[in-house]
Amino acid sequence: MSSSFRHSFDIIGPIMIGPSSSHTAGAARIGRIARNLFGEEPEIAEILLYGSFAKTYRGHGTDVALVAGLLNFPTHDNRIPKSLQIAKESGIAVTFKPGPPNPDYHPNTVRIKLSKGERKFEMLGVSIGGGAVEILEIDGFKVKMTGQYPTLVIPHADRFGVIAAVTTILSKHQLNISFMEVSRRGRGSEALMLISTDEQPPAEAVAEIQLLEAVKRVSSIEAS
């Protein structure tokens, strides 16, 4: 194992030591959220880095951490130091490049673009320190997701009764909603629902929501 990989694992691993958990543990969480929202292993991952991320991603192991997350590795996984190699062996084409300057972005911001066949996905995330993250965009929708609570991410058609149907299912399973956000591209168009709950929704609840006619898919993100 190279010294840089060992250094990366020391930061990301269970003891979380090192000069910048923002560049490693937070990056790994952002990558894993993107993977969970995409729902499968991508064929192509284009990663745009901003601010401090763009300047130091190799030296601080941010690249290794982001790709480990895209491989769905938890932050304590001992395969993390080899994530770039594993991604290559798995046939995932990963590219890193600096994003265009944006004075409104946090220094530790990353935009992840994933694709497989005709499926495409895009997410903007920020590592805000201490391993904590915020997700600010999902497929063009402005959101604010921290991952501190279990969260359902539900793309759906903007139709009457969809929100009520989803919340009724959660109520039936005795799930308390701690945060909810709904946005849409336009009346009757695509919409996105984010619902954070106090407890992790059971698979049965997720499956019931997925069966709703207007729902395209349901991603269940565990609390980090």
Side-chain angles (χ1 to χ4, degrees):
M1 184 187 299
S2 71
S3 60
S4 62
F5 279 156
R6 185 180 297 111
H7 176 66
S8 299
F9 182 65
D10 286 345
I11 299 169
I12 298 171
I15 50 179
M16 300 275 293
I17 61 172
S20 178
S21 59
S22 298
H23 286 247
T24 50
R29 290 191 174 107
I30 291 171
R32 198 175 190 203
I33 290 172
R35 165 62 184 268
N36 289 340
L37 290 176
F38 190 63
E40 59 182 325
E41 188 172 277
E43 294 174 339
I44 299 172
E46 181 183 353
I47 301 174
L48 282 72
L49 301 148
Y50 298 85
S52 179
F53 266 6
K55 296 174 183 177
T56 64
Y57 71 93
R58 286 194 180 95
H60 284 192
T62 306
D63 52 350
V64 173
L66 285 165
V67 172
L70 293 177
L71 291 168
N72 206 25
F73 294 169
T75 55
H76 60 270
D77 197 301
N78 60 13
R79 295 171 294 175
I80 286 174
K82 298 181 179 179
S83 64
L84 298 177
Q85 177 185 338
I86 293 171
K88 184 177 181 180
E89 292 171 351
S90 298
I92 305 173
V94 181
T95 58
F96 294 91
K97 61 183 180 180
N102 190 322
D104 296 328
Y105 281 0
H106 185 284
N108 297 331
T109 297
V110 57
R111 184 177 295 277
I112 298 176
K113 300 180 181 182
L114 305 178
S115 61
K116 183 173 185 177
E118 296 186 359
R119 280 200 66 212
K120 297 184 183 301
F121 170 80
E122 187 169 328
M123 189 189 87
L124 185 72
V126 177
S127 181
I128 59 176
V133 305
E134 288 183 356
I135 307 305
L136 302 179
E137 288 183 25
I138 297 174
D139 278 336
F141 288 100
K142 303 292 185 183
V143 300
K144 188 168 183 179
M145 186 174 87
T146 65
Q148 293 179 331
Y149 290 92
T151 302
L152 297 176
V153 181
I154 310 170
H156 62 95
D158 179 41
R159 295 182 189 172
F160 173 81
V162 177
I163 296 171
V166 171
T167 55
T168 296
I169 292 170
L170 296 179
S171 177
K172 184 178 77 172
H173 288 271
Q174 298 183 342
L175 291 164
N176 188 49
I177 295 174
S178 59
F179 174 82
M180 184 173 181
E181 180 180 22
V182 182
S183 55
R184 63 183 186 179
R185 302 197 195 279
R187 185 175 180 180
S189 184
E190 296 178 348
L192 184 71
M193 191 185 318
L194 266 68
I195 302 179
S196 296
T197 54
D198 290 340
E199 304 293 337
Q200 185 69 35
E204 294 82 2
V206 174
E208 287 181 47
I209 295 171
Q210 184 69 72
L211 288 174
L212 296 174
E213 184 179 357
V215 170
K216 294 182 178 181
R217 63 182 179 277
V218 184
S219 299
S220 183
I221 308 299
E222 296 181 0
S224 58

